[in-house]
Amino acid sequence: MTALMRAALLLTAAAAVKPQCACNEVYDHSKPVTVPHNLTAPLPKQLVLVKVPETGSSTTAQLLADLASRRSIPCWVPGAWKGNEPLTFEDAIEKTPKHGPKWAVAHRGAGDWIRDNFNQAFVIGTARSPEARLKSWVSKHPKRPCQQGASIALKFYGIAGSSRTNTTEALSQIRDRFRSWFVLERYNESLVAFALKHRLPLGDVLPPLSKYHGGSRHRDTPTCEGNAMRKLLATEAAVHAHASRQLDETLAEFRRAFDVDALVKTFEHALDGMMARGTWRNN
């Protein structure tokens, strides 16, 4: 991490902490922001990221893989190697102890494989406005049926990709399955919330520069219409709203201790500065 980044994060926490807050010590980029212990938890021993295409999931996966690597946590991610051989899902997850420390971050939809290979998995999801996600997907797959793109998020969430999906039942499954969320439209808030919740330095949740972007730009894409697709997107919209509410609830807990909004704003300012210079951390 550059000296400039250290200084920026020092100012970030210093500006955000309220005078009456107990966490008024000088901030060190290598240490977590101090918050009441009962609001936080260490990084989980077992973690699963359910990646959903076009929701910022690749950025999140790389961020989590970096966290795991720096802490020597076994982590399966596509493209990983063990020695001179590709690290397979079978070797990384299926052949390892069900109770042991391991993370899985990949495009592998929620399903029985989580229960079969983890005894206490902390499952994280990624979410995005369904219309924006579908537009992004169609721009990359213009020759595929629109309904495939409309249903893909629900399939990865472990919900049948059918227009007959009951939204109430879908949300019940989502609440039971997922413990935490990264919401693309609120990605910086998601990063800060994750760092605070898991006692991480803010410097540890800086995403790789090559993956971070301030928003997507798409060429003109076909319009996807039809009752079946509208029903699918309506159910996904309910999931997206649930994820955003859960993020709100997490941030509200920390607002009792210090000025979270100021922390997020200065964090965003630091990210913008690093993007303008094209560098921010040495990975």
Side-chain angles (χ1 to χ4, degrees):
M1 182 178 300
T2 66
L4 191 56
M5 188 70 245
R6 295 188 185 99
L9 291 180
L10 178 75
L11 292 173
T12 293
V17 174
K18 292 181 178 179
Q20 68 269 28
C21 179
C23 45
N24 58 2
E25 62 193 58
V26 176
Y27 180 68
D28 182 337
H29 80 281
S30 65
K31 297 179 181 178
V33 177
T34 305
V35 296
H37 201 72
N38 64 313
L39 300 180
T40 67
L43 281 173
K45 183 173 73 171
Q46 296 188 339
L47 181 148
V48 172
L49 172 68
V50 175
K51 290 182 64 182
V52 175
E54 311 307 323
T55 62
S57 60
S58 293
T59 303
T60 306
Q62 187 60 60
L63 171 72
L64 293 173
D66 287 351
L67 282 174
S69 177
R70 292 197 294 273
R71 289 161 176 76
S72 299
I73 300 172
C75 180
W76 177 70
V77 60
W81 288 69
K82 184 177 182 180
N84 296 322
E85 298 291 334
L87 181 62
T88 66
F89 175 81
E90 181 182 25
D91 288 336
I93 302 299
E94 293 183 332
K95 290 183 178 180
T96 54
K98 186 174 181 178
H99 61 276
K102 52 184 173 180
W103 289 11
V105 293
H107 280 301
R108 191 181 183 93
D112 292 343
W113 69 273
I114 298 176
R115 184 189 63 239
D116 293 343
N117 293 288
F118 297 84
N119 71 339
Q120 51 182 353
F122 185 92
V123 182
I124 298 175
T126 56
R128 183 183 186 183
S129 166
E131 292 78 9
R133 181 199 58 75
L134 179 58
K135 184 176 182 180
S136 180
W137 186 89
V138 171
S139 73
K140 295 180 180 179
H141 309 284
K143 296 183 179 181
R144 296 188 186 179
C146 273
Q147 185 148 342
Q148 180 182 353
S151 65
I152 196 168
L154 297 183
K155 289 181 179 178
F156 274 93
Y157 291 143
I159 300 168
S162 166
S163 60
R164 296 185 297 274
T165 299
N166 181 284
T167 299
T168 301
E169 175 58 27
L171 286 177
S172 176
Q173 293 180 39
I174 288 292
R175 293 187 187 100
D176 289 343
R177 183 172 296 135
F178 291 90
R179 300 280 302 280
S180 182
W181 292 88
F182 283 79
V183 181
L184 184 61
E185 296 86 354
R186 304 175 62 188
Y187 201 67
N188 291 333
E189 290 177 275
S190 299
L191 291 171
V192 171
F194 187 81
L196 295 175
K197 193 70 176 178
H198 297 292
R199 307 170 188 168
L200 297 173
L202 293 180
D204 278 9
V205 296
L206 290 170
L209 182 59
S210 61
K211 300 298 296 182
Y212 187 85
H213 51 79
S216 301
R217 299 291 184 270
H218 303 297
R219 59 182 182 272
D220 291 339
T221 55
T223 301
C224 294
E225 297 179 343
N227 289 334
M229 278 180 287
R230 281 194 290 271
K231 290 179 180 179
L232 289 167
L233 296 181
T235 299
E236 185 184 347
V239 175
H240 176 260
H242 164 75
S244 192
R245 282 195 302 271
Q246 187 168 323
L247 177 58
D248 282 335
E249 291 168 2
T250 299
L251 293 173
E253 291 180 338
F254 294 117
R255 286 192 176 96
R256 300 170 189 165
F258 55 90
D259 192 340
V260 172
D261 296 323
L263 184 65
V264 172
K265 285 180 181 178
T266 48
F267 183 73
E268 289 174 342
H269 181 73
L271 291 180
D272 289 343
M274 296 303 104
M275 285 189 69
R277 284 178 288 275
T279 60
W280 63 45
R281 79 178 185 193
N282 298 320
N283 286 319

